[in-house]
Amino acid sequence: MSQKDPLQDLNRALSITPTPEFAARVRRRIASEPVRETSWSWLTSAAAAALVIAVAAATVQWSPESSTDEVPESVRVMPSSAPPQATAPVIASSGIERTASLRSGDRPRTPAGAGLMDTPAPFAEVLVPDDQRLALERLMASLRVHRSAVPKFVADDVVDDEGRRVPRALAIEPIRLPLLDGTPTESIKEPIKEPIK
Amino acid sequence: MRDKVAWLPATLVETTPDLDREFDARLADSSALAIRVAFSVVRNQADAEDVAQEALAKAHRSLAQLRDRDQFRAWLVRMTWRMALDHVRSRRRRMTRDMVAVPAASGPTVEDDALDGEQRARLWQAVDALPERLRLVIVLSALDGHSVKDVATLAGIAEGTVKSRLFKARARLKEALR
């Protein structure tokens, strides 16, 4: 063995040649493998998955919010201490303050996309003061059992001192309803004797 | 066209006549190198050809993915080296499990006449004692008269690193074979 350069000995030890049939064996080995598919199915699947993800993301982006903690600026509640404003039952205008008596369940639903596009609600929303809420609830309850009729509203326009047409004050007739069984009597206020102007 | 094909996944590209011709040329050019690299680890020509065969089959499957076809030999050498090491490890585990002694390297070939059995055994023992990173460099340097630049390309390391590792490997082999 060469002491001067072990590389020469290693070179001799590694000087093997392939057997004559080696190349044929490799070709047979390659030929025995299954043929690869040339279809673009994986690309199609990837594209379909990407499309589904994009559609889902867009749907989530534009889906209506089921609940919101913010009351739109166009809809707010009048404080119970303030005198009732004589306005028509339309979308409440600005100037009405929010009160704590507004229950979360009474919060108006925001139409789809309203928070994003700032469009007015498609229907009129009316919020009532807390002291009138009880009367309204009684009215609703009696209507459900067909024991009362909806009072007639008189809401036509009038011209004010400055020549502007403004809605006439509502004249709501007092409604006398028999109490339903189980209605607590201690919370009943004095009935309204005069129409609200 | 070749550049466009290079980055496509192998599953998308079937074997074309051009690819087959290219692979045949590379098979003729690189078979001996692959077998010798494998032999330096497994020490058995039959096993070395099996390992080289698997490495070449794998290279054929992934040939279209190879961006730089000039790196084919280096790619094949590193792949064969890894597969040979895995082959030896699995063989040792199998032998240990079956409580069978690990067989010695295959009998002397015509090329081994200059080295008798004992010298060859000492040489391989000394090579096996080298760390893997030195072993690969010394084996590639011993093969086919590869230059430092050739070894650097095949091993995928810098030429300075090759020189440094080669120096250390030679010193250790000389010490072991004294």
Side-chain angles (χ1 to χ4, degrees):
Chain A
M1 187 180 300
S2 169
Q3 296 294 328
K4 292 182 180 179
D5 191 3
L7 257 66
Q8 292 179 3
D9 299 328
L10 196 53
N11 185 25
R12 279 195 289 273
L14 290 171
S15 297
I16 59 173
T17 54
T19 55
E21 60 274 10
F22 177 74
R25 277 173 49 197
V26 172
R27 292 193 187 95
R28 275 199 302 275
R29 172 73 175 82
I30 291 169
S32 67
E33 290 181 346
V35 177
R36 289 189 293 262
E37 291 181 3
T38 58
S39 67
W40 293 74
S41 60
W42 78 270
L43 261 185
T44 306
S45 302
L51 184 62
V52 167
I53 291 170
V55 169
T59 303
V60 170
Q61 175 79 12
W62 290 100
S63 65
E65 295 180 5
S66 59
S67 64
T68 176
D69 290 331
E70 295 183 7
V71 177
E73 186 159 338
S74 62
V75 179
R76 277 177 275 182
V77 179
M78 180 165 51
S80 58
S81 58
Q85 289 191 2
T87 57
V90 293
I91 296 174
S93 59
S94 59
I96 304 174
E97 300 298 325
R98 184 174 187 170
T99 62
S101 62
L102 181 66
R103 298 181 300 179
S104 60
D106 297 333
R107 196 176 303 138
R109 290 176 62 89
T110 308
L116 296 174
M117 301 195 304
D118 196 24
T119 55
F123 51 86
E125 294 180 319
V126 179
L127 300 179
V128 298
D130 190 49
D131 55 352
Q132 297 180 16
R133 179 174 56 82
L134 185 59
L136 185 60
E137 287 178 349
R138 283 190 217 158
L139 172 62
M140 301 292 287
S142 64
L143 285 174
R144 287 193 196 98
V145 295
H146 305 290
R147 293 177 68 177
S148 177
V150 177
K152 294 180 181 178
F153 292 111
V154 178
D156 51 347
D157 291 343
V158 295
V159 179
D160 63 4
D161 297 338
E162 296 180 11
R164 295 176 299 185
R165 296 192 70 81
V166 295
R168 183 191 296 276
L170 285 177
I172 302 177
E173 296 295 330
I175 302 170
R176 296 184 183 281
L177 303 172
L179 294 178
L180 296 174
D181 294 338
T183 303
T185 58
E186 59 274 11
S187 61
I188 297 174
K189 296 180 180 178
E190 281 296 320
I192 299 174
K193 295 179 180 168
E194 295 297 330
I196 298 173
K197 294 183 181 177
Chain B
M1 183 61 184
R2 174 178 289 184
D3 289 338
K4 288 182 183 177
V5 166
W7 60 266
L8 289 175
T11 53
L12 200 60
V13 180
E14 67 176 355
T15 306
T16 63
D18 289 340
L19 216 58
D20 282 342
R21 273 195 290 276
E22 181 183 353
F23 183 78
D24 281 344
R26 295 191 183 276
L27 178 63
D29 178 55
S30 308
S31 292
L33 176 62
I35 292 173
R36 288 168 186 168
V37 167
F39 184 83
S40 69
V41 178
V42 300
R43 314 291 161 70
N44 179 294
Q45 181 151 359
D47 288 350
E49 289 197 356
D50 287 343
V51 171
Q53 176 186 304
E54 288 303 313
L56 284 162
K58 192 174 178 183
H60 177 264
R61 282 195 297 271
S62 307
L63 184 60
Q65 289 178 281
L66 191 60
R67 293 179 182 173
D68 185 359
R69 302 297 174 91
D70 294 336
Q71 294 294 321
F72 178 84
R73 280 171 67 91
W75 180 43
L76 180 64
V77 161
R78 289 197 289 272
M79 195 160 44
T80 307
W81 179 262
R82 289 275 161 238
M83 292 174 77
L85 289 174
D86 292 341
H87 179 87
V88 167
R89 287 189 197 112
S90 65
R91 186 175 65 186
R92 282 181 185 156
R93 279 197 298 269
R94 202 164 45 246
M95 296 297 180
T96 304
R97 192 175 59 239
D98 297 341
M99 299 301 290
V100 175
V102 177
S106 59
T109 63
V110 173
E111 290 77 15
D112 286 338
D113 281 348
L115 290 172
D116 61 17
E118 184 184 346
Q119 287 175 334
R120 192 173 67 248
R122 284 183 62 208
L123 176 64
W124 287 125
Q125 201 171 9
V127 170
D128 287 343
L130 294 173
E132 186 184 318
R133 65 184 190 282
L134 299 185
R135 215 182 327 153
L136 177 62
V137 168
I138 197 88
V139 164
L140 292 177
S141 297
L143 282 176
D144 300 338
H146 287 142
S147 65
V148 169
K149 186 178 178 182
D150 294 335
V151 173
T153 303
L154 291 173
I157 54 179
E159 289 186 29
T161 308
V162 172
K163 290 178 185 175
S164 167
R165 291 183 184 178
L166 197 54
F167 177 81
K168 291 176 188 173
R170 281 177 193 258
R172 290 197 190 193
L173 281 181
K174 282 183 183 177
E175 184 66 30
L177 296 172
R178 191 182 296 180

